[in-house]
């Protein structure tokens, strides 16, 4: 027989399935006040930024290590979160030989030529190692996000399965939203049509939501209201994209700029971050990756160069474009950290406290494959935050960082990729 907790973990209709955040009123405390709230699950997020950074203005000064370090220009938008981010330098993948495969091997560390007779091979990515353990208890084993047509090398997302095959990614906010919140039995065309009419998926479950709210305490009622409001906000943004899906662009006249079709630029990426947080908040998944569409961001920032071309910068317009892109990336990461910090867990802690986030790429800049840009944040892995770490050995495997994060969230593997051990400098 279903318990109230099982029966009301979701709001359902014929076209929508809205997962709910954990609410104390529906949990064990409703029946036994002495029973503790179950320990919050750990989560992992990996964000790949493709074509590298501006090395002169993104990396902190190597002479400033530990907790006393100055944010470089490229990371300035993260100033309010400096105590909650760690930058680690001098890590790389020793097998990386292709500077155009920025995302392909970032989470695997694999040797492309590791299988005799094959010109390409890969191995399981770090997120999928975590998903094998964490995914047993969630609706989605993992959530792979990507950018439509974005090329950081071979692959359909950042994720690769145990056989070294690419895991397909959701490449736009509309598809991601419906994957998380719509009944999969409803044809996509019908869901798209409802979106164009600005019909909220919430409208179809409001009766059940009102019924549910009557049985909640004030704190849970407020939490439910905030959560449903956030879903509504996401839909409002998506409705514009739905309206423009089939509308051809207007040819610009002498005094009229061509309007952008649908959502683009940092707005699209910011919305994907919001959807990612919603997936973690509702425990739809505990492992997520995002192969970020860097060219989408660059176009949204009004830059005239493609991501690959920007990586081959020299002093002048290209370098300025590269620096603008870096600041845009940092602003987006600051937004994600804000969302994670303001999203509350049942025990009063922040979602931020239970998630491990890594942002970076395989390429430093141009065709350089050493000193992979790496930012770590979130309290999920129990690592030291607010640090600038420069590894004494410039050939430290990046897989050592991945092993440290895996062990930190409770995935107790002895090795990953070409790791030689955990990064002691990260250990709290």
């Amino acid at each position: 027989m279903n318990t109230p907790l099982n029966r009301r973990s979701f709001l359902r209709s014929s076209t929508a399935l809205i997962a709910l955040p954990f609410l104390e009123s529906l949990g064990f405390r409703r029946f036994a006040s002495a029973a503790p709230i179950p320990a919050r699950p750990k989560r992992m997020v990996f964000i790949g930024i493709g074509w590298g950074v501006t090395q002169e203005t993104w990396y902190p000064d190597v002479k400033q290590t530990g907790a006393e370090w100055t944010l470089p220009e490229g990371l300035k938008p993260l100033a309010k979160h400096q105590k909650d981010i760690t930058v680690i330098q001098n890590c790389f993948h020793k097998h990386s030989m292709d500077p155009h495969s920025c995302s392909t091997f970032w989470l695997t560390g694999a040797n492309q030529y590791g299988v005799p007779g094959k010109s390409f091979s890969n191995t399981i990515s770090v997120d999928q190692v975590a998903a094998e353990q964490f995914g047993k208890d969630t609706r989605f084993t993992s959530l792979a996000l990507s950018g439509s047509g974005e090329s950081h090398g071979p692959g359909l997302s950042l994720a690769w399965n145990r056989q070294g095959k690419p895991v397909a990614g959701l490449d736009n906010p509309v598809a991601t939203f419906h994957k998380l919140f719509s009944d999969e039995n409803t044809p996509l065309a019908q869901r798209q049509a409802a979106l164009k009419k600005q019909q909220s998926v919430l409208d179809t479950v409001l009766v059940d939501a009102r019924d549910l709210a009557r049985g909640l305490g004030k704190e849970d009622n407020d939490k439910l209201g905030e959560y449903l409001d956030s879903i509504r906000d996401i839909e409002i943004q998506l409705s514009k994209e739905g309206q423009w899906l089939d509308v051809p662009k207007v040819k610009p006249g002498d005094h009229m700029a061509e309007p952008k079709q649908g959502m683009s630029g940092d707005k699209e990426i910011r919305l994907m971050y919001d959807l990612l947080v919603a997936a973690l908040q509702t425990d739809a998944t505990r492992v997520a990756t995002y192969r970020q569409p860097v060219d989408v961001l660059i176009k949204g920032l009004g830059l005239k160069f493609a991501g690959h071309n920007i990586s081959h910068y020299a002093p002048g317009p290209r370098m300025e474009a590269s620096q603008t892109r870096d600041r845009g990336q940092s602003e987006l990461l600051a937004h994600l950290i804000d969302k994670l910090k303001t999203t509350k867990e049942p025990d009063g802690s922040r979602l931020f406290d239970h998630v491990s986030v890594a942002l970076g790429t395989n390429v430093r800049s141009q065709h350089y494959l050493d000193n992979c840009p790496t930012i770590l944040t979130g309290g999920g892995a129990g690592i030291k935050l607010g640090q600038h770490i420069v590894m004494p050995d410039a050939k430290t495997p990046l897989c050592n960082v991945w092993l440290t994060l895996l062990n930190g969230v409770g995935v107790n593997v002895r090795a990953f990729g070409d790791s030689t051990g955990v990064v002691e400098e990260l250990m709290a």
Side-chain angles (χ1 to χ4, degrees), residues 40-358:
R40 304 314 301 141
K42 301 296 185 182
R43 292 87 153 188
M44 301 194 84
V45 173
F46 297 90
I47 301 171
I49 58 173
W51 297 109
V53 298
T54 316
Q55 59 185 17
E56 293 87 348
T57 53
W58 189 91
Y59 290 100
D61 187 339
V62 294
K63 297 177 182 178
Q64 299 178 350
T65 58
E68 300 298 325
W69 57 288
T70 302
L71 278 170
E73 189 61 33
L75 302 182
K76 283 287 179 66
L78 288 160
K80 65 179 177 179
H81 299 301
Q82 183 171 353
K83 293 183 179 180
D84 290 311
I85 63 171
T86 288
V87 178
I88 182 168
Q89 292 202 54
N90 279 350
C91 295
F92 87 130
H93 287 316
K94 70 178 181 180
H95 297 301
S96 291
M97 301 176 187
D98 181 4
H100 297 141
S101 296
C102 318
S103 294
T104 306
F105 305 104
W106 182 53
L107 297 184
T108 69
N111 182 356
Q112 176 178 345
Y113 307 104
V115 178
K118 291 188 175 182
S119 61
F120 177 88
S121 65
N122 210 343
T123 57
I124 189 170
S125 52
V126 60
D127 63 293
Q128 292 303 295
V129 173
E132 288 179 345
Q133 178 172 319
F134 292 167
K136 296 175 182 178
D137 301 314
T138 58
R139 181 178 182 87
F140 302 107
T141 303
S142 65
L143 182 66
L145 306 178
S146 64
S148 179
E150 185 77 14
S151 176
H152 308 162
L156 304 174
S157 68
L158 294 176
W160 297 78
N161 67 18
R162 180 65 67 175
Q163 290 72 44
K165 302 301 182 183
V167 176
L170 297 164
D171 64 7
N172 67 75
V174 173
T176 304
F177 181 84
H178 286 305
K179 181 75 171 179
L180 292 172
F181 300 118
S182 294
D183 188 335
E184 294 183 359
N185 293 324
T186 304
L188 178 60
Q190 183 177 335
R191 287 180 260 152
Q192 297 279 30
L195 189 62
K196 284 186 179 183
K197 295 178 181 177
Q198 295 186 326
Q199 177 185 350
S200 170
V201 297
L202 296 179
D203 292 340
T204 64
V205 297
L206 282 182
V207 173
D208 284 345
R210 285 193 290 267
D211 180 59
L212 172 63
R214 282 194 289 270
L216 300 180
K218 183 181 184 305
E219 184 174 340
D220 280 344
N221 225 319
D222 291 343
K223 183 185 297 184
L224 176 63
E226 290 174 0
Y227 175 66
L228 295 180
D229 284 344
S230 71
I231 300 300
R232 181 81 72 180
D233 287 343
I234 289 172
E235 285 189 308
I236 289 172
Q237 296 179 66
L238 287 176
S239 66
K240 179 179 179 181
E241 182 159 342
Q243 292 168 7
W244 284 88
L245 283 176
D246 303 320
V247 179
K249 289 184 177 179
V250 177
K251 296 298 182 181
D254 294 337
H255 305 288
M256 183 178 70
E258 182 175 331
K260 294 181 176 63
Q261 182 174 348
M263 192 169 296
S264 62
D266 61 334
K267 291 182 180 179
E268 175 183 327
I269 297 170
R270 190 180 300 257
L271 183 54
M272 290 292 257
Y273 282 176
D274 291 348
L275 288 164
L276 187 155
V277 172
L280 299 178
Q281 181 185 9
T282 59
D283 210 23
T285 190
R286 296 174 185 173
V287 180
T289 59
Y290 187 19
R291 179 167 161 151
Q292 191 190 97
V294 179
D295 280 342
V296 169
L297 171 63
I298 288 171
K299 290 177 182 177
L301 293 173
L303 304 176
K304 299 178 181 179
F305 307 98
H308 176 252
N309 291 336
I310 284 180
S311 71
H312 291 273
Y313 64 82
R318 284 196 188 185
M319 184 170 184
E320 292 170 4
S322 180
Q323 292 168 326
T324 298
R325 176 209 55 203
D326 291 347
R327 289 191 294 271
Q329 291 284 11
S330 293
E331 288 171 1
L332 288 167
L333 180 57
H335 169 76
L336 176 61
I337 296 174
D338 282 336
K339 293 284 290 186
L340 292 170
K341 285 183 175 180
T342 56
T343 300
K344 295 296 183 182
E345 293 277 68
D347 59 2
S349 60
R350 308 167 299 178
L351 180 57
F352 178 85
D353 300 323
H354 307 285
V355 62
S356 168
V357 180

Side-chain angles (χ1 to χ4, degrees), residues 51-53 55 59 362-366 368-373:
W51 297 109
V53 298
Q55 59 185 17
Y59 290 100
N362 236 25
V363 176
R364 169 162 52 99
S365 63
Q366 301 181 43
Y368 300 118
L369 294 167
D370 60 336
N371 198 11
C372 298

Side-chain angles (χ1 to χ4, degrees), residues 7-41:
R7 189 165 60 243
R8 287 185 171 178
S9 294
F10 302 92
L11 298 176
R12 296 177 182 269
S13 76
S14 61
T15 58
L17 178 70
I18 304 296
L20 295 173
F22 190 98
L23 302 173
E24 285 189 34
S25 303
L26 302 183
F28 293 105
R29 287 192 172 185
R30 179 175 178 177
F31 308 103
S33 58
I37 296 174
R40 304 314 301 141

